[in-house]
Amino acid sequence: MKNLPVYLDYNATTPVDPRVLEAMLPYFTVKFGNAASKNHVFGWVAEEAVDLSREKVAGLIGASEKEIVFTSGATEANNLAIKGVFEAYRSKGNHIITCQTEHKAVLDVCKHLEQQGARITYLPVKNDGLVDLQKLRGAITDDTILVAVMYANNETGVIQPVKDIAAIAHEQGALFFTDATQAVGKIQVDVQAEGIDLLSFSGHKLYAPKGIGALYVRRRNPRVRLVAQIDGGGHERGMRSGTLNVPAIVGLGKACELAGSEMKNEAARLSQLRDRLENAMISSLQCTVNGNIDSRMPHVTNLAFNRVNGQHLMMELKNVALSSGSACTSATLEPSYVLKAMGISDDLAHSSIRFSLGRFTTEEEIKAVSDQTIDAVKRLYSLALIES
Ligand SMILES: *Cc1c(COP(=O)(O)O)cnc(C)c1O
């Protein structure tokens, strides 16, 4: 284990917490029943576990159990939310407002709906990554059925003013959906207090396994209607058919329970480590933070290393797992569309790296990474001087 790279890519995925795995294990073997089997105890045991898990998931975001639909992850939940609302409210309008810095799992769904007759507005963001509320107001029309803006950005950690965005959507009779995959379990999220109508999130970003997620769908004030995207046995109140993945659902419930009780301390610990890392680099190097630093997730920093290519820097830092831009786009040489939407130059976007910390990040690791990064950047500075 000691030889493995230091993992600072928690925004891409997290390990399963051992306590989550322990809670899941019996549901693979002895408690293997189908939660839809109503005639025997195997089914009842599974159903009971799913019900308990649903309570825990709902509890973490201030929802009620009946408002939770289990899905295979955030991508599926986003598809169900956006396509499901579009199909259910088509007679009311065809306009959806989203934002240029959304995850591809929102943007590509919107692109798809454009082929189906939707009109989509992709709102720009300000230089700090925040949505301009005046521009949002200006974009809403009588035809607007949905405003879809993420809670916290996966690349920068910037937190959008979701409560204000929801209020603006509601003034015009539109629903508000937020992809909260990067926020749930890390900071307080409350669908009631913030006026959220639909909310998606994913297990593997909060120490549960990959392949499980949830969509919150508001049941009153107003009751949100959705057209199912997967039809079958009518599971999940008809909104998402398919035999429930009981072990993964148990894991998601356990992860939500743990997040609820540990999130406050964890956020305080991680923001201290993040700030230490960030301050060390800013004081020794020519680097700047991308995104609003006052409205930002506690465990993330996206840093632009002026004059240094991010790919080169990551190659120098072989023993640190990092990400330039998002994991999905870093295979290509295109600069991050999120950073570009914030008005950051191609050069500076190419020099940017995301450090995302998590539950198992230690003080020693942060010290080592900050020392190694400073050394590596200084090495690259000196190479550049020789070349020029
Ligand atoms: C990771 C992520 C997703 C995709 O989640 P999956 O469960 O992997 O499908 C969607 N949105 C955001 C903001 C993410 O960070």
Side-chain angles (χ1 to χ4, degrees), residues 15 19 27 52 57 81 90 109 120 185 230 238 248 297 314 339 358 381:
R19 295 167 293 180
Y27 294 91
L52 184 63
V57 170
R90 250 209 114 145
V109 177
I120 313 280
I230 299 179
M297 295 299 289
M314 290 203 304
L339 298 181
Y381 282 164

Side-chain angles (χ1 to χ4, degrees), residues 75-88:
T75 299
E76 188 194 327
N78 289 353
N79 272 265
L80 174 55
I82 301 170
K83 292 175 182 170
V85 163
F86 179 69
E87 290 175 23

Side-chain angles (χ1 to χ4, degrees), residues 6-16 73-75 103 152-157 181-183 186 201-212 299-301 314 321-330 354-358:
V6 173
Y7 189 74
L8 290 183
D9 204 12
Y10 280 83
N11 277 18
T13 195
T14 63
V16 171
T75 299
H103 194 273
N153 186 271
N154 44 302
E155 292 191 32
T156 60
T181 307
Q182 293 290 345
K186 319 286 171 62
F201 70 98
S202 179
H204 76 97
K205 304 284 174 79
L206 80 158
Y207 310 99
K210 295 160 186 65
I212 188 70
H299 62 283
V300 187
T301 181
M314 290 203 304
L322 293 167
S323 175
S324 67
S326 73
C328 322
T329 51
S330 58
R354 173 184 76 189
F355 299 79
S356 49
L357 290 60

Side-chain angles (χ1 to χ4, degrees), residues 106 144 214:
V106 167
T144 309

